[in-house]
Structures are given as structure tokens and as C-alpha cells.
Amino acid sequence: MHFGLCWKLLSDVFPTLARKEREEPFQMAQLPGGGGDPFDIAEVHGVGDDEVVRSAWDVVDAIHNSPELNIRFPETHEEQMDCAMGFKAKSRININCCVGCIDGMLVWTNKPTVRDQKVIGFGPTKFFCGRKMKYGVNMMGVCDSKRRFIWVEVNIMPGAVSDFYAFDESALKQKLEAEG
């Protein structure tokens, strides 16, 4: 993460960190996310390795509780037009009706067990993505012109389905069609 973005994230999350010593959990949480070894981080900060993991979860909780970082699809026509103007400003061909860019990704999972198959109603082959050669589920996301997520959905769409089909079955598509 770029240094400036790191400080921006800290300033957004700082008020929602539950602990009094707010900077240290944030410092410790950055390193495991970047591939650091929790044992090395614990030694550098003079704490137990369980404190590194707890700090990481404290930061995750603070991010979830930070209103600045809410993932929210624009509800009103005015908000949607603001998003569209953001894309228009970046467009070389004057696109003025785009609210967000959508894409799907395969979130890897283990092969579903027999018990899982009974609960969801279909077998493991539906979860197997032949292109990636992995089992998973489809996660869909929409970003605005500033590359911020404004909608994310991980539903029961297995990894073998296309992004088009996953969106076609999504709550966002149903909402957009219901509300016009």
C-alpha cells in the first residue's frame, strides 16, 4: 500500500479502533496482510504472536465500523448521476450513463462435501471452474470511477457459472429492475 493511502486509511479507521493504544494494532496488522510473519512482528513489537492476530482483527473490525469505508450502491438518481459524471470525466468518448464497472472473480473454496451438496442442492462439479482449475464461488463487485467498491455480492453462485449469469441472479439486478 502506498504511504499516503496507508495514512488515509489510518485516519478513516482511527476513530473506530476500540483500543486506547490505537497506532500499534494498525502497524502490526499491516504486516501480516503484506506477507509478514506474525512471529517476527511479535518479536519486533515485544508482544505475543496472539497479540498480532488480535490486532489484525481489531483493525478489520474498525474498518467494518468506519462509515467512511461503507460499501454502498448509489440509491438516488442524483447519486447515480454523480457517479456517471465521474466516468464521463474519464471517458475519451463521452460516456455519460455508466454508474459503475462490474466484474466477477472466483473465490477459491474446498470441494463441497456430500453434506454441503445436500444443503445447496447440487454437486461439486458446479463449483469447479475449468478455466482456473479450482473449486469456488462467484463474487461480483461494482466499482465507481474512483475505483471504490460500491457493491459486492458473494452468493451461492458456483464457480462454473459465468459472470453474466451470476449478475442475472444477483440482488443488485433485481433491485435495479424493481426500482427502474
Side-chain angles (χ1 to χ4, degrees):
M1 180 184 292
H2 183 270
F3 184 76
L5 286 176
C6 182
W7 282 108
K8 167 86 171 94
L9 178 62
L10 178 59
S11 68
D12 289 346
V13 170
F14 193 82
T16 59
L17 271 170
R19 294 204 257 157
K20 291 177 185 166
E21 67 284 352
R22 294 177 180 177
E23 283 132 2
E24 193 170 275
F26 189 77
Q27 292 167 354
M28 287 191 287
Q30 290 178 59
L31 298 172
D37 185 328
F39 294 110
D40 292 340
I41 297 165
E43 188 173 324
V44 167
H45 287 276
V47 297
D49 57 310
D50 61 325
E51 179 64 16
V52 174
V53 174
R54 188 169 73 99
S55 292
W57 282 113
D58 286 348
V59 171
V60 168
D61 289 341
I63 289 170
H64 287 164
N65 293 325
S66 176
E68 282 288 316
L69 302 173
N70 282 348
I71 295 175
R72 185 180 146 299
F73 194 81
E75 298 286 330
T76 67
H77 184 70
E78 291 78 28
E79 290 173 329
Q80 292 169 3
M81 288 306 296
D82 285 345
C83 285
M85 291 304 105
F87 280 105
K88 182 179 179 181
K90 293 184 177 201
S91 172
R92 292 186 184 141
I93 56 172
N94 220 17
I95 295 173
N96 64 359
C97 58
C98 179
V99 173
C101 294
I102 188 168
D103 197 11
M105 82 173 248
L106 181 71
V107 178
W108 298 353
T109 63
N110 293 323
K111 180 180 177 180
T113 65
V114 173
R115 186 173 136 247
D116 293 337
Q117 294 170 40
K118 288 179 183 175
V119 171
I120 51 184
F122 42 87
T125 55
K126 296 281 187 191
F127 285 89
F128 189 75
C129 176
R131 190 169 59 87
K132 305 248 184 195
M133 304 303 287
K134 300 273 185 189
Y135 289 95
V137 293
N138 191 310
M139 179 183 86
M140 302 295 296
V142 176
C143 288
D144 66 10
S145 64
K146 297 176 185 172
R147 301 179 190 164
R148 297 176 302 187
F149 280 101
I150 57 174
W151 174 77
V152 175
E153 183 172 330
V154 181
N155 55 21
I156 198 67
M157 287 294 117
V161 304
S162 68
D163 289 349
F164 173 80
Y165 184 77
F167 177 72
D168 200 47
E169 297 294 316
S170 71
L172 179 61
K173 180 183 182 244
Q174 293 170 11
K175 177 181 178 160
L176 290 172
E177 286 184 344
E179 296 180 13

